[in-house]
Amino acid sequence: MNAAASLAYRVALSDHPRSADQRAAILAGELGFGKHFTDHMVAIQWDKATGWHDAQVCAYGPLALDPAAAVLHYGQEIFEGIKAYRHADGSIWTFRPDANGARLQRSAARLALPQLPVAEFTESLRQLVAVDHAWVPSAPESSLYFRPFMIATEAFLGVRPAQGAAYYVIASPAGAYFAKGVAPVSIWLSEDFARAAKGGTGAAKCGGNYAASLLPQQDAYAQGCSQVLFLDPVEGKYIEELGGMNVFLVCRDGRIVTPALSGSILEGITRASILQLARDRGMTVEERKVSIDEWKSGVASGEITEVFACGTAAVVTPIGALKGKDFAVGDINAPAGEVTMALRRELTDIQYGRMPDRHGWMVKLA
Ligand code: PLP
Ligand code: COI
C-alpha cells in the first residue's frame, strides 16, 4: 500500500493570471500540444539531508537555477506525461496516476535522483488542478496535459549524483499531438542512430533519450514523416518504439503484437492499457521480439493489416506508412484501421467517462 501524501503545500496565487476572457480565447482556439501553459505550477524541493520539503503552488514562470546546477551539465533530469480529462458533469479525472508515479520512481532510480512517493505525485496533480481547474478544456478529445519533471539543482561540477533536486509540475491544455489529429501518420526508420543502448537509460523517461532522438527526428521531418522508429540497439534488427510512443501491429488473423520490453523500451502506460483492452476483447496478445523484416513483409503481404502508435500525448494514432533509406511500405492515404480506431474509442471512452471504468483506472482530481 502507498503511504498517504503528507507534504504541506504553501499556495501563493499568481498576481498576473490570464483573465477569464483570455483563457476562454486560448481554450477555444487550436490547442495543439504543449504550446499554452496554465497560470500556476507546483514546485517541491529535495536535499539529501532534509528529504522532500517546501512544497508550493506558485505562479507559472522562469526558474532561478545556479549556472553550476548539475542538470545543466550532466543531464540529470526525468519527466512524466499524464492528462486530466473533463467529464460531461464537469468533474476532472486523471488516468492511472499510480502507474506514472511508479514510473517516475523507476526513472529516478536509474538517473540517481530521489524518489518522490507515488502518493505525493498524485497529490501534486491535485494541488495544481485545485487552482487551475478552469484550464481543463471541455472540447471533444481535449485534455490538460501535465508535465511533471525533476532536475538536479545542486551547484557542483564534480560528476556524482546531485545532493539537491527539485520536482515541478506544469500543465498545458492540449488537443491532438499531431497536426492532422487522428489521421494516419508516416514513420521514418532510423537506420543509423539509436535512442537507447544496452544497459543505458532507454527504459527511463529522461530528457537525454529525447535529445538522442532529435537528429533522426530532423531526418524524419525532411522525409515528410512525423515520428522515428528505432530498432534495438544491440542487433539493429528488432523494432523497439518511436521517439515518443510505443507501437503495435494488428495481424489479419486477429492477433495484436507489440515489442516485448527489452530494457531499452519505455514501458508505456497506454501500451499496458491497450494490451488489457485487447485481452478483454478476446484478442490474442503477443509481447515479443518483432523484426523490422516482419513489419515490412507483413504489411506488403497483407498479413499485417494495421499498425498504430500509442502514448499519452499521441493517444492511439494510426501509422499509415513506414519509410527508410531505400524502401517504403504501407499507404498513407488508406483509412485508419478498424481495430486501431475501436481500441482508441474504448480507451478514450473510459478516460472521458463515457464508459464504465471496469479496471479502476480513473482517479478523480476535482
Ligand atoms: N515511449 C516513449 C519514448 C515515450 O516518450 C512515451 C510517452 O510517454 C511512450 C512510449 C508512451 O508512454 P505512455 O503511454 O506512458 O505515455
Ligand atoms: C507523452 O506522451 O507524455 C510523452 O512524453 C511523449 C512526447 C512525444 C510528448
Side-chain angles (χ1 to χ4, degrees):
M1 252 330 255
N2 285 324
S6 62
L7 283 168
Y9 276 76
R10 224 159 13 97
V11 178
L13 293 181
S14 170
D15 60 10
H16 55 281
R18 260 68 53 84
S19 68
D21 284 351
Q22 286 171 320
R23 187 176 58 234
I26 292 171
L27 294 183
E30 192 62 50
L31 286 174
F33 179 83
K35 292 191 296 193
H36 305 284
F37 297 93
T38 67
D39 292 313
H40 297 89
M41 61 185 192
V42 161
I44 311 179
Q45 306 302 314
W46 177 88
D47 65 55
K48 204 172 171 186
T50 329
W52 292 105
H53 64 280
D54 193 15
Q56 52 174 315
V57 176
C58 54
Y60 179 96
L63 306 179
L65 268 188
D66 192 294
V71 64
L72 300 176
H73 304 274
Y74 308 128
Q76 219 187 337
E77 187 265 358
I78 55 174
F79 67 97
E80 269 304 324
I82 180 168
K83 286 174 168 172
Y85 308 86
R86 193 179 286 284
H87 287 190
D89 65 357
S91 59
I92 298 169
W93 298 71
T94 193
F95 183 71
R96 309 189 73 175
D98 285 7
N100 289 85
R103 187 171 66 188
L104 185 71
Q105 291 195 326
R106 295 197 298 277
S107 300
R110 179 63 185 85
L111 273 286
L113 279 162
Q115 296 195 347
L116 184 75
V118 171
E120 298 294 356
F121 174 83
T122 306
E123 179 61 18
S124 69
L125 310 181
R126 207 183 293 282
Q127 289 281 339
L128 190 51
V129 161
V131 295
D132 279 342
H133 52 86
W135 284 97
V136 183
S138 48
E141 309 287 301
S142 65
S143 59
L144 184 70
Y145 180 81
F146 296 109
R147 174 50 65 86
F149 63 102
M150 196 190 298
I151 56 174
T153 52
E154 187 189 4
F156 176 59
L157 294 184
V159 183
R160 59 140 170 77
Q163 298 186 0
Y167 165 83
Y168 299 92
V169 188
I170 55 174
S172 170
Y177 183 76
F178 293 110
K180 292 189 181 146
V182 283
V185 294
S186 298
I187 300 297
W188 173 249
L189 174 67
S190 176
E191 289 163 275
D192 296 332
F193 303 106
R195 68 178 276 286
K198 183 172 191 292
T201 56
K205 202 161 167 63
C206 63
N209 293 340
Y210 298 79
S213 78
L214 296 179
L215 179 58
Q217 181 69 51
Q218 190 168 291
D219 295 342
Y221 289 143
Q223 299 292 334
C225 296
S226 5
Q227 274 277 308
V228 181
L229 174 66
F230 289 99
L231 297 176
D232 78 273
V234 178
E235 293 178 76
K237 244 167 79 179
Y238 299 100
I239 63 171
E240 293 237 296
E241 61 180 323
L242 307 185
M245 290 143 219
N246 293 116
V247 65
F248 278 85
L249 312 175
V250 182
C251 303
R252 190 169 45 197
D253 61 11
R255 280 173 303 130
I256 183 161
V257 185
T258 194
L261 300 174
S262 61
S264 46
I265 294 180
L266 188 78
E267 188 172 354
I269 288 132
T270 318
R271 174 187 179 281
S273 310
I274 293 287
L275 286 170
Q276 182 64 54
L277 295 180
R279 279 191 197 103
D280 293 351
R281 292 172 162 253
M283 297 179 77
T284 302
V285 163
E286 294 177 2
E287 289 180 80
R288 59 168 170 83
K289 283 186 170 183
V290 181
S291 73
I292 186 64
D293 290 339
E294 178 177 350
W295 178 330
K296 287 195 218 169
S297 61
V299 170
S301 70
E303 184 56 36
I304 294 170
T305 48
E306 303 177 29
V307 188
F308 65 85
C310 70
T312 299
V315 194
V316 171
T317 299
I319 296 178
L322 172 68
K323 289 190 206 171
K325 279 194 255 181
D326 57 7
F327 75 93
V329 289
D331 174 5
I332 190 64
N333 296 312
E338 256 173 53
V339 176
T340 302
M341 294 315 280
L343 287 166
R344 180 189 163 94
R345 180 82 209 172
E346 192 167 357
L347 178 69
T348 54
D349 279 350
I350 293 171
Q351 290 171 331
Y352 288 91
R354 297 184 295 246
M355 197 177 149
D357 171 25
R358 63 182 184 276
H359 292 292
W361 286 339
M362 302 306 293
V363 171
K364 193 171 183 182
L365 292 179

